[in-house]
Amino acid sequence: MGAQEITRVQKLEFRVGQVMTRNVITVTPGTPLSELQELMRKHRISGAPVVNDDGDLVGVISIEDLVRALEEGAFNAFVGERMSSNLITVREADAVDTAAQKFQQTGVGRLPVVNAWGELVGILTKGDITRGLLHEVEAETQDEEICRYRASHIFRDVESDDTSLLLRYKVAPRDFTHGGNASSRIKRALTRVGADPQIVRRAAIASYEAEMNLIIHADHGGQITAEVDSSELKLTVEDDGPGIADLRRALEEPGYTTTPPEIRQMGFGAGMGLKNIRKCADQMRLESQVGQGTTLGITIRLHVFEPPSASGNGNAQRGKP
Amino acid sequence: MRLGQVIEIVGGRALNEFNHARQVEFGFETALLSDVLAHAKPHTTLIITEITNPQVVRTAEMVDAAGVLFVKNKMPSHDAVRLSNETGIPLIVTRLGMFEACGKLYAAGVQPARRVE
């Protein structure tokens, strides 16, 4: 969650100045259209800001303006007569979002960029924004790769007789909106430490079913603890009530459920959860006492943390930065 | 087939940004999320459903589904869409009912994720 929030903030702080083109080719109101045409061809641009002799921005001229002028036979006109002087600009310090909205609202293809004093400092096209965002996404992907690389080396880099990672998550009762948050984070953690995707998937499904059970049934919600070491994942799911009255039926009887109908309408509580968990787990242990609570233990073997030197090991290649 | 083709076949529209080239091999129609958790095949399964709560997106995330197709113009809840953006699960909506949506996809080669022996 933390990482995602940081990412979001970075995106908000993504500024026009970071993505715009700085080397702007400008023309003046006195530039003949024939000269503009030549400039556009030479620099492969489709428009240019117009500045006066004092360097103030006075308009923008685009290839559409040029084509229209030529169609109308105005071969000898000057930029000043055909430019658009209804100036829509963005500021260097504006968020890229703001610029994107301006593109959408106005339908223009390029926006001159000015600094705090109104001086022209660059030009921005939609292409600049796309390129900038792509660059950002690439950087994010790389960050995730680095996270994975680091996490996958924990079990080799940290030396002890028995290293394990302990992750604890609280689950609130009846909180369907956030149901699955804990399992989602467990899934990401396992992926980062380099566990095999098939095993990660099994662990995620088991954990998610158990998490939904806490949300649906537990009086006060509960806690999920995930303990990961180099050979296995141990999930412990605990609550303090109400407890399961008929353990045998809950475990063995397909379709046996105590879930109220309004929750079943949401797609859960069909009497499959515990059976699903057992299918995903290598070992499962369920203890429950009515009025006391329930503890579910799930063990899933990981067998994935061999050192990269082991031949043909998929993790080794995944770990490379 | 690709998600982009799914959109064409069911006359649907994308509800978030995703890679339209992503592969779909299996379809899984459901009103029961545990059923998906028990039987979906990873990576190339498209979940087809009327369930619009965030849990359908969570379920898709857990089983590594290729995406979720909502039938009968059922629009996912605000929380579900927000979650799909966080988790990168593609969401598509179609006006078609369950029967017709599944029929068209099956005719176009999408296989059942749950095989009856």
Side-chain angles (χ1 to χ4, degrees), chain A residues 83-101:
Chain A
M83 70 184 185
S84 156
S85 48
N86 174 22
L87 269 181
I88 305 158
T89 58
V90 283
R91 298 220 285 193
E92 200 175 5
D94 282 345
V96 163
D97 288 13
T98 313
Q101 276 168 14

Side-chain angles (χ1 to χ4, degrees), chain B residues 31-93:
Chain B
L32 194 55
L33 296 176
S34 284
D35 212 9
V36 180
L37 291 166
H39 300 294
K41 295 178 193 299
H43 298 299
T44 53
T45 297
L46 179 71
I47 299 171
I48 308 159
T49 190
E50 284 184 42
I51 303 174
T52 54
N53 60 44
Q55 298 313 323
V56 73
V57 179
R58 275 291 182 223
T59 301
E61 180 195 0
M62 297 308 157
V63 301
D64 299 322
V68 181
L69 171 63
F70 299 98
V71 294
K72 278 169 54 181
N73 246 349
K74 296 262 176 152
M75 293 300 288
S77 68
H78 181 75
D79 286 327
V81 175
R82 190 182 43 78
L83 194 57
S84 74
N85 289 330
E86 268 174 35
T87 53
I89 298 291
L91 303 183
I92 302 168
V93 67

